[in-house]
Each structure stands twice: as structure tokens, then as C-alpha cells.
Amino acid sequence: MSSNSQWGGRFAAGPSAIMQAINASIGFDRKMWRQDIRGSLAHAAMLAHVGIITTEDERAIREGLEAIAARIEAGEFPWDEALEDIHMNIEARLTEAIGEAGKRLHTGRSRNDQVALDVRLWVRDAIDGLAGQVEDVMRALVEQAEAQAATVMPGFTHLQPAQPTTFGHHMLAYVEMLSRDRGRLLDCRKRLNESPLGAAALCGTGFPIDRRMTAEALGFDGPMRNSLDAVASRDFAAEFLFACAMCATHLSRFAEEVVIWTSPYFGFVKLSDAFTTGSSIMPQKRNPDAAELVRGKTGRVMGALIGMLTVLKGLPMTYGKDMQEDKEGIFDAAETMTLCLAATAGMVRDMKPDGARLREAAGAGFSTATDLADWLVRELRMPFRDAHHVTGRLVARAEAKGSDLAGLTLAEMQAVEPRITEAIYGVLTVEASVASRACFGGTAPENVRHMAAEWRERLA
């Protein structure tokens, strides 16, 4: 059978070429070079401290690793696929540069605990960055909430007009969601913050290493207590990906609303050219592409989570080469989240709500019907189910008349319920409706201002 020259020609040399290609991870795990060098520096310092290597060897290793870091940073490091991964690439160059001392670095550790360490360090760094970005989106939302605390807008259930709310209250709903996303990321950080270094291949090492010293040097709370678990576990990575997927889902819900709100059929908000694009053929178009891409990229993050769980679900203890497949999903999800959070923060700060259009829409669909029913309960001591029935009849009358509820005359209302008085009209405006929702967590403008101020202080 002839090979396809376009797709299969690379492997014409046979099994060795195939094995090298499928086995190598340097094409993607080089992203962990900072973490790998950081771990090696801590390991070398510990080896010297306990007397396994000399202080001269430790100094040579440290200086060699620092030189390698500078070359990588400058884009001058010669990556070699034949050396498989980030760990062997760095170790080989180190030995080439400093000789015998470089060969002593791997004493008391294995690539199994080394990669487990690198991934934990990388995810921990990613969490620190993403948590800060989540906070920035929250601040942007709080800024909008403060500015639009009294801007009335329609609240929806089933995407149908339900009750009036405020734009500020709507923004704060996403602040609450994102605060939980941030909490999940930080909780994940707490659970992953144990060091696997020193677990070696799977059973620990016979050398008198000091695992607590390396754990402390690398900012961990302590070493992992079981060497098998240390090299076998990637639940921290799955948890990280779930936190990302949940956050991406919240960003996607917001993005969907931006897509809807910027449609001329809604016209609730406007985005500038900074976050929209035109059409190649229709000059009138302003497409909310940033929002659509945030919505679309959520699938990548969800896919990374499912991919991780699928890799792990059938693995016996302890390490399997399958675990090489844990990294690309983590890297892609973190980079995708970085971009989506930046785009969302930008859109939130860029969007301009149309207060007049929002108020007009807030009164549509008999949105103050619940206020009318509540008035009947509160003022006439009517059981709520009876009030619900009376309100339904009044809505039917207004609908037949082609008006809103406030458009019914007092006589028309009293034909349905004789005890209704002129005072009913005081609750039928959208402003009265939102002002009345003053219970804790409600949409009243004063509530929104208070909660926005509270969030601003917490995020400071």
C-alpha cells in the first residue's frame, strides 16, 4: 500500500518515525519551561543541602539553568524533538553546557514526579492569572451597575417579558456568577497546592531527600503524602478545567445577551467599532463578533474538560503515557479563557445602554401585572390565587383594548373587581415596580447602589 505523499509521507521511514512522532511532546509541553526550571532549581538546592551533590555542582547547575532560561526567553534555544519533552531537552542542554554536574541533577527524582510538578506549577500560575482577570470583568460590571442602577429594563423568563428590573441589577447578577467562578478557581488552587516532587517514578526514592524543603521553596503547603497518588493524580487539572468551563459558560450567557441586545429588534445597547465588525457585502451591518466568538470558544473549554476526564477514566495506577494528553487541553483552555475574559471586560466597558429604549421595553408584555396582583393582596386582603385570577382578567381586557394595564379606566377595572381604587395606578409604572422590590437581593435602585458599592470595596 502506497503512502499518501501529502499526509503520510513523513512516516515513510517506518515504525521509528511513527514512534518518535507519537511519543514526542516537546511541541506543546515546552510551554512549561519556566516551571520545569523552577522545579529543577529547587531540587538541586535541596540535593546540595542534604549532601547528595556538592555545592559546586549545585552552583554549576543553577548557573546553567539560568543561562538556559535566558536563551529560551530570547527565543534562541534549540528544541529537539528527538529528546521527546521539555524535561529531557533542558537536561540534555544543561549537561552539554556544564558537563558531569548536569548528569547529577536527576538524582532522587523521575520524569513522572517532574512532570506532575510542572503541570501543578503551570496550572497554579494559570489560576493566579485567570482569577485576576475574572476580578477585572467583575469590576467592569460593577462600574456599569453603579452608572445604571436606576435604568429600568425588562426582566425575562423564557425570553418573554416578565417583570421590570434595572440594568444595574442585571449586571450585578453576572458579578455574583463570576465571584463563584473565581472562588472555584481559588478552591482548586488550594487543593492542588501540594508538591509531588520526590515521589520519583512512583514509590519515592532511597536517597535522603528533604521533600518539605522543595515544597516550601516552590510555594506549596507541603509534600503530597502518598507517592503513588503524587504521580497518578490529575484531578486538580480536571477541577481546573471544570472551573474554566463553568466560567466560560457564564461568559457565553452574557455574550448571548449582548448579541440579542445589540440587534436592532431589541436595540438595548450599542457596541463601538472596537468590538464589532462590518460585512464584506452589506455596508449597514455592525456584527457583534467579539460576543459571538466568546460564545463560540466556550465549546473548546468544555471539550478540554471532557477530553481530560476521558484520558483519566480508564488509567490503572500509577503513571501511563496517556497522561501526556493532559496538557494540550489545559494550555488551550487557559489561553482561551485569557482571551475571552479580556474580550468580555472590554465589551462591558464599551457598551452603551439605551435608557429610553430599555424603559419602553420594560413596560411591554404587561410586565407590571404582578405588581397589580400584589396590590390586590396587600390592599384588599385578597388571597393571592384570587388576585392572580383577577389580574388575568384585567390583562385580557387590556389586551382586547390594545392598551397596557395603566390604559384601563377605573370603571373598566372595577367591572372586574369593584373594590379597586384610583390608588392602583400608583403601582403600574415600571419605576414603581422596581422601587418596590426593596427586599434583600431585590432590584430596587437603592439596593443596586448599595450592592455595587459593597462589591467595589471587596474588589479593591
Side-chain angles (χ1 to χ4, degrees):
M1 183 174 69
S2 63
S3 65
N4 181 312
S5 61
Q6 183 175 2
W7 303 113
R10 179 183 177 195
F11 305 122
S16 62
I18 296 170
M19 186 59 202
Q20 178 173 318
I22 198 171
N23 196 47
S25 59
I26 190 60
F28 52 86
D29 70 11
R30 68 176 69 175
K31 288 180 183 292
M32 300 190 299
W33 68 266
R34 289 183 178 85
Q35 291 75 25
D36 195 73
I37 288 176
R38 197 189 314 169
S40 290
L41 287 169
H43 185 65
M46 179 274 297
L47 292 177
H49 178 76
V50 299
I52 295 173
I53 65 173
T54 66
T55 55
E56 290 76 14
D57 282 347
E58 188 273 334
R59 183 174 61 253
I61 289 169
R62 175 166 28 88
E63 290 173 355
L65 288 173
E66 288 170 353
I68 287 172
R71 290 189 70 188
I72 297 173
E73 192 79 66
E76 298 170 355
F77 188 83
W79 303 106
D80 186 351
E81 188 177 278
L83 292 171
E84 294 184 18
D85 57 31
I86 181 66
H87 324 296
M88 295 306 294
N89 265 263
I90 288 178
E91 185 176 324
R93 300 303 172 199
L94 178 68
T95 300
E96 184 181 280
I98 69 172
E100 289 294 310
K103 298 178 183 179
R104 294 190 173 95
L105 173 60
H106 209 52
T107 308
R109 73 175 183 184
S110 159
R111 273 196 291 179
N112 291 358
D113 63 337
Q114 189 177 0
V115 69
L117 172 69
D118 289 1
V119 177
R120 279 180 187 265
L121 289 172
W122 197 94
V123 170
R124 193 177 71 182
D125 290 344
I127 286 172
D128 291 342
L130 291 175
Q133 281 195 277
V134 171
E135 288 180 11
D136 187 53
V137 179
M138 292 169 68
R139 288 189 192 94
L141 290 162
V142 168
E143 289 162 13
Q144 283 282 10
E146 288 178 322
Q148 308 296 336
T151 301
V152 180
M153 71 172 288
F156 296 94
T157 61
H158 309 275
L159 202 55
Q160 303 296 314
Q163 295 176 344
T165 184
T166 65
F167 197 84
H169 196 54
H170 200 109
M171 295 297 100
L172 289 180
Y174 284 105
V175 174
E176 297 289 338
M177 293 181 198
L178 288 169
S179 73
R180 294 191 293 274
D181 293 326
R182 178 180 175 277
R184 273 183 281 270
L185 285 167
L186 296 181
D187 285 346
C188 174
R189 193 191 195 284
K190 289 177 186 175
R191 269 183 288 279
L192 72 77
N193 205 39
E194 295 178 321
S195 173
L197 188 59
L202 72 162
C203 291
T205 177
F207 290 97
I209 62 173
D210 186 342
R211 294 189 62 208
R212 286 181 174 80
M213 178 181 173
T214 51
E216 183 178 350
L218 293 167
F220 288 108
D221 296 329
M224 295 182 73
R225 295 182 297 178
N226 184 288
S227 62
L228 303 179
D229 177 48
V231 299
S233 295
R234 295 294 187 274
D235 55 323
F236 69 91
E239 185 178 0
F240 169 68
L241 289 173
F242 172 76
C244 288
M246 193 68 252
C247 184
T249 299
H250 288 148
L251 298 182
S252 183
R253 292 185 71 177
F254 177 77
E256 169 70 2
E257 295 204 302
V258 171
V259 171
I260 292 170
W261 292 348
T262 54
S263 162
Y265 296 104
F266 275 73
F268 287 179
V269 303
K270 286 184 170 62
L271 284 175
S272 75
D273 291 346
F275 292 94
T276 58
T277 63
S279 165
S280 64
I281 190 173
M282 295 170 285
Q284 83 282 9
K285 295 294 292 298
R286 177 175 275 180
N287 300 320
D289 284 6
E292 291 172 350
L293 286 165
V294 168
R295 184 178 62 183
K297 286 179 182 294
T298 299
R300 297 171 68 120
V301 184
M302 291 177 174
L305 171 61
I306 297 303
M308 175 67 72
L309 294 173
T310 305
V311 165
L312 297 176
K313 72 173 183 61
L315 289 183
M317 293 281 261
T318 55
Y319 181 84
K321 194 68 171 182
D322 317 48
M323 286 182 174
Q324 184 167 293
E325 294 300 308
D326 65 357
K327 296 168 195 64
E328 287 181 280
I330 294 172
F331 298 157
D332 186 74
E335 289 168 6
T336 299
M337 290 303 299
T338 295
L339 187 56
C340 288
L341 285 163
T344 302
M347 283 190 291
V348 172
R349 291 190 169 102
D350 183 72
M351 66 184 184
K352 300 292 187 291
D354 185 333
R357 174 68 191 122
L358 286 165
R359 192 202 180 286
E360 178 189 5
F366 307 102
S367 65
T368 57
T370 306
D371 299 278
L372 193 156
D374 288 347
W375 186 90
L376 294 173
V377 171
R378 191 168 54 248
E379 300 299 326
L380 304 185
R381 304 298 184 198
M382 189 180 289
F384 183 79
R385 283 298 160 207
D386 292 346
H388 187 280
H389 177 69
V390 169
T391 301
R393 290 178 62 193
L394 290 170
V395 167
R397 284 203 168 207
E399 198 167 30
K401 184 180 178 181
S403 72
D404 58 14
L405 286 168
L408 292 174
T409 66
L410 182 59
E412 287 170 326
M413 289 192 182
Q414 289 175 338
V416 174
E417 170 49 60
R419 293 178 294 167
I420 292 176
T421 69
E422 195 80 36
I424 191 66
Y425 294 103
V427 303
L428 296 182
T429 67
V430 291
E431 288 79 10
S433 176
V434 297
S436 72
R437 265 55 179 187
C439 65
F440 183 79
T443 197
E446 280 308 307
N447 277 10
V448 174
R449 293 186 184 97
H450 176 78
M451 193 60 69
E454 185 177 301
W455 271 116
R456 179 179 283 279
E457 184 176 342
R458 288 170 68 178
L459 290 168

